[in-house]
Amino acid sequence: MKYFVSKRLGAIALALTFLVSSLTGCGSKNSASDSVEVTNNTVYRTVDEIKESGTINIGVFSDKSPFGYVDENGEYQGYDVYFGNRIGEDLGVEINYVSTEAANRIEYLQTGKVDIILANFTVTEERAQEVDFALPYMNVALGVVSHDDAVITSLDEIGDKDEVIVISGTTAETYLEKNYPDIKLQKYDAYAEAKTAFENRNGVAWANDNTEVIAFAIENPGYEVGIPSLGSADTIAPAVTKGNESLLNWLNDEIKALGEEKFFHADYETTLLDTYGADYEDTLVVEGGAITGK
């Protein structure tokens, strides 16, 4: 009996030894082929690590034309993707585009699923506590689109039983919940789901970035943007994992350099001109990270 107990204790001790050994052998690098830095439970890769891997992971929308969408050939296209392609080119790496929804943009950065988010990400103080924003490349405000036979020109026109469609995790959701808590919201995770619900009249209006609702009304007869600007003017910027100074600094330098060649105006003229026309170009585009009038 003593021999049995001793043998069993010895086996447990040996297992603990292997466990401790395996734990102490782990540093801040992931065991996967692409190494990562782990800081405060968040995961990220530095510029050198991205270059060494040969691939950068960029989160973009796959259903939000004309900013990020997948075309009939299965290729990512849009304003954000045009920028993403240049990032990959200047880093000298291949690009792995990761389809992202508004609600999981921060999560994808914190878990290391993507290195950069370019999914039409509005800069807010709340988000800046969880991710690091680079310099902006676009201006944006909120807007509200409704059916042209029942145009909403003021939020005061929304009745007690009416519902407004929003995308979960967007600034429209946050703004309405904070400033108009009595308005009932119908929330969707994906833009395609929200679009279908709105077309089926599941809501009296759809609140979103004004660029999105203007594009929707232009591309789809039967709708009108009754509120083209709601709340304060904001900016769109790339985001990286909190603390990833290496990639943040590289992005800021990249945006400044691209501004010298008027890159984002070229991006607009390639991807947004057909939707918004030339009149909106200087209003929407931020060149080189410089916000005019601020």
Side-chain angles (χ1 to χ4, degrees):
M1 184 69 176
K2 290 182 179 179
Y3 172 75
F4 175 77
V5 173
S6 176
K7 185 175 181 181
R8 187 174 180 182
L9 289 174
I12 293 173
L14 182 61
L16 289 172
T17 300
F18 278 120
L19 177 60
V20 172
S21 176
S22 62
L23 289 174
T24 55
C26 296
S28 62
K29 303 295 183 181
N30 196 315
S31 59
S33 58
D34 289 342
S35 59
V36 296
E37 298 289 343
V38 181
T39 306
N40 297 327
N41 296 322
T42 59
V43 183
Y44 62 79
R45 301 191 301 166
T46 65
V47 171
D48 288 342
E49 289 167 338
I50 291 169
K51 288 181 177 180
E52 184 178 354
S53 75
T55 302
I56 187 167
N57 302 311
I58 300 179
V60 295
F61 288 125
S62 60
D63 61 355
K64 190 178 180 182
S65 175
F67 299 97
Y69 64 97
V70 177
D71 66 15
E72 62 276 8
N73 298 317
E75 299 292 330
Y76 280 93
Q77 303 289 350
Y79 187 75
D80 293 338
V81 176
Y82 188 98
F83 180 26
N85 289 341
R86 181 60 181 267
I87 289 173
E89 177 184 335
D90 289 347
L91 276 172
V93 298
E94 297 293 325
I95 304 165
N96 175 40
Y97 284 115
V98 178
S99 179
T100 306
E101 294 177 356
N104 60 26
R105 289 175 292 194
I106 292 175
E107 173 196 344
Y108 276 20
L109 283 172
Q110 292 178 336
T111 58
K113 189 167 185 177
V114 299
D115 301 300
I116 301 172
I117 285 288
L118 289 181
N120 212 230
F121 210 8
T122 304
V123 179
T124 68
E125 292 182 4
E126 293 79 9
R127 289 171 176 170
Q129 294 176 9
E130 299 187 81
V131 302
D132 283 337
F133 285 104
L135 293 170
Y137 60 96
M138 193 170 191
N139 291 309
V140 70
L142 296 178
V144 179
V145 60
S146 46
H147 300 270
D148 62 5
D149 59 356
V151 180
I152 300 294
T153 59
S154 169
L155 293 179
D156 295 334
E157 299 171 2
I158 297 173
D160 294 340
K161 296 182 180 180
D162 295 332
E163 293 186 333
V164 174
I165 292 173
V166 296
I167 309 296
S168 297
T170 62
T171 50
E173 177 192 28
T174 303
Y175 177 84
L176 291 175
E177 287 182 339
K178 179 179 179 181
N179 297 284
Y180 295 87
D182 293 334
I183 293 180
K184 294 181 176 65
L185 301 182
Q186 195 172 129
K187 303 180 182 182
Y188 295 91
D189 289 332
Y191 283 86
E193 294 173 351
K195 179 177 181 291
T196 299
F198 185 50
E199 290 172 339
N200 291 334
R201 289 183 177 267
N202 290 344
V204 298
W206 182 5
N208 208 338
D209 290 350
N210 62 353
T211 51
E212 174 67 14
V213 297
I214 291 170
F216 179 85
I218 291 174
E219 296 171 357
N220 299 276
Y223 303 92
E224 184 175 331
V225 180
I227 307 177
S229 182
L230 183 66
S232 61
D234 294 305
T235 57
I236 299 294
V240 302
T241 308
K242 197 74 176 174
N244 192 352
E245 294 184 6
S246 170
L247 187 53
L248 180 67
N249 292 337
W250 186 92
L251 274 173
N252 284 336
D253 290 341
E254 174 78 346
I255 290 170
K256 291 175 184 177
L258 292 177
E260 296 178 2
E261 62 181 72
K262 302 296 181 183
F263 171 85
F264 292 102
H265 279 81
D267 188 351
Y268 181 99
E269 291 164 10
T270 302
T271 62
L272 303 184
L273 188 63
D274 289 345
T275 301
Y276 298 110
D279 292 342
Y280 280 101
E281 184 169 348
D282 289 333
T283 300
L284 294 178
V285 172
V286 176
E287 200 67 77
I291 308 297
T292 58
K294 288 189 177 183

